[in-house]
């Protein structure tokens, strides 16, 4: 059951009902679930290999408001995995191109864009109106900053990363006082230079993890919380998943 308190007079109009009909027909969603998705606001930080597929699925799924944050421009080396962009986009701001493409994909929703580093905006203020944050960044320092801000503001966080042929996914609901956080699992920001640019990555792994981030964000919007606090690891060469339950670290300086 979605946790949004929906206006009882709210409904899908004809255009929305036709567009999202396959969701309305799906057990666990229905019209009420689609209305919850329509009423939600998702913040996507990073428009690289994770943010591109995640943003496309959330846009297509009808998330009412999506805000994109990234300060980078598009480079040729991005095109191997960042599927929103084309050769003609090289040199353009990622947010500008992504906002244009996503709004074209679904004109029924609102797509906002911020072309600044996450470290140079008032993230806490922005989170006042956000239901779920997707951390699609590629370095540990930024992930720890996003985690700490989400903890402070009690906002749901879905974090993913990928390198070489492996990826990982974890989500938290910081409204719960018993929730662990990203720093409980990864207490140090060391090895922050290990990312796609320095170590390489098998491009479809990012598609898998980005799609899982979108899936988890929608599940949380729909009130499905059974995957919280679970670290999922994906190995492309073995085509295998492993899952580990995560608990709160009593010594964590971030969430205590």
């Amino acid at each position: 059951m979605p946790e949004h308190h929906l206006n009882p007079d709210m409904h899908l109009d004809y255009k929305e009902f036709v567009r999202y009909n396959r969701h309305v027909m799906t057990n666990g969603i229905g019209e009420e679930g689609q209305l919850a998705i329509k009423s939600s606001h998702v913040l996507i930080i990073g428009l690289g290999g994770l943010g591109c597929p995640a943003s496309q699925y959330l846009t297509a799924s009808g998330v009412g408001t999506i805000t994109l944050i990234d300060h980078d421009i598009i480079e040729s080396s991005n095109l191997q995995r960042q599927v929103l962009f084309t050769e003609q986009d090289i040199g353009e701001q990622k947010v500008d191109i992504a906002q244009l493409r996503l709004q074209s994909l679904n004109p029924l929703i609102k797509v906002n864009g911020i072309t600044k580093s996450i470290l140079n905006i008032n993230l806490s203020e922005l989170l006042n109106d956000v239901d779920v944050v997707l951390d699609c960044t590629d370095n540990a320092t930024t992930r720890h900053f996003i985690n700490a801000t989400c903890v402070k503001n009690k906002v749901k966080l879905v974090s993913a990363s990928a390198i070489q042929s492996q990826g990982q996914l974890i989500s938290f609901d910081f409204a719960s006082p018993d929730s662990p956080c990203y720093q409980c699992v990864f207490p140090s920001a060391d090895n922050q230079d290990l990312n796609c640019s320095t170590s390489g990555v098998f491009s479809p792994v990012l598609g898998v993890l980005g799609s899982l981030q979108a899936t988890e964000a929608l599940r949380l919007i729909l009130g499905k919380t059974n995957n919280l606090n679970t670290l999922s690891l994906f190995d492309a060469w073995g085509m295998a998943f492993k899952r580990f339950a995560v608990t709160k670290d009593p010594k964590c300086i971030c969430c205590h």
Side-chain angles (χ1 to χ4, degrees):
M1 182 68 64
E3 64 180 47
H4 286 266
H5 299 291
L6 300 175
N7 183 333
D9 297 325
M10 190 177 179
H11 65 279
L12 299 175
D13 63 28
Y14 177 76
K15 198 170 190 178
E16 291 170 327
F17 190 86
V18 171
R19 185 179 186 109
Y20 306 124
N21 178 259
R22 299 306 187 270
H23 269 179
V24 174
M25 294 168 61
T26 299
N27 293 335
I29 304 179
E31 185 171 6
E32 183 182 3
Q34 189 61 45
L35 286 170
I37 294 170
K38 176 183 176 179
S39 301
S40 65
H41 182 180
V42 174
L43 172 63
I44 301 175
I45 305 172
L47 286 168
L50 295 167
C52 283
S55 64
Q56 286 173 293
Y57 274 109
L58 292 174
T59 295
S61 295
V63 169
T65 304
I66 296 175
T67 298
L68 313 170
I69 301 179
D70 198 309
H71 66 286
D72 280 341
I73 63 171
I74 300 163
E75 301 177 357
S76 177
S77 60
N78 299 149
L79 303 182
Q80 169 252 12
R81 62 199 178 280
Q82 299 178 17
V83 293
L84 268 175
F85 311 129
T86 69
E87 188 84 18
Q88 289 70 38
D89 301 325
I90 293 173
E92 301 291 338
Q93 290 282 349
K94 289 183 179 181
V95 163
D96 292 344
I97 298 300
Q99 187 176 9
L100 181 68
R101 299 263 156 79
L102 295 173
Q103 198 67 80
S104 176
L105 173 61
N106 191 349
L108 302 181
I109 72 167
K110 182 178 181 181
V111 182
N112 304 316
I114 300 174
T115 54
K116 293 182 179 180
S117 165
I118 191 64
L119 302 176
N120 293 331
I121 67 170
N122 188 336
L123 181 57
S124 286
E125 182 178 332
L126 185 60
L127 292 184
N128 287 333
D129 186 39
V130 167
D131 296 292
V132 184
V133 174
L134 265 63
D135 182 352
C136 302
T137 62
D138 64 354
N139 72 81
T141 299
T142 304
R143 290 192 204 110
H144 280 268
F145 171 75
I146 294 168
N147 172 73
T149 310
C150 287
V151 169
K152 177 183 176 183
N153 290 273
K154 298 180 170 57
V155 176
K156 298 178 183 69
L157 172 66
V158 181
S159 179
S161 62
I163 195 169
Q164 290 277 309
S165 62
Q166 299 180 327
Q168 60 189 31
L169 173 82
I170 193 164
S171 59
F172 309 98
D173 181 0
F174 297 126
S176 169
D178 297 324
S179 174
C181 75
Y182 185 87
Q183 192 160 325
C184 292
V185 189
F186 304 101
S188 172
D190 293 343
N191 298 322
Q192 62 190 45
D193 57 333
L194 295 179
N195 54 41
C196 296
S197 299
T198 60
S199 301
V201 68
F202 183 36
S203 62
V205 174
L206 291 154
V208 172
L209 271 297
S211 297
L212 288 175
Q213 278 186 286
T215 302
E216 182 65 355
L218 292 171
R219 280 167 35 82
L220 291 174
I221 291 166
L222 293 168
K224 303 179 188 304
T225 60
N226 57 304
N227 194 51
L228 289 170
N229 313 326
T230 301
L231 179 64
S232 298
L233 304 178
F234 173 65
D235 171 30
W237 297 152
M239 219 45 181
F241 279 94
K242 293 181 180 179
R243 289 160 52 85
F244 304 91
V246 173
T247 57
K248 196 178 187 78
D249 181 355
K251 297 181 180 179
C252 179
I253 61 173
C254 182
C255 60
H256 273 81

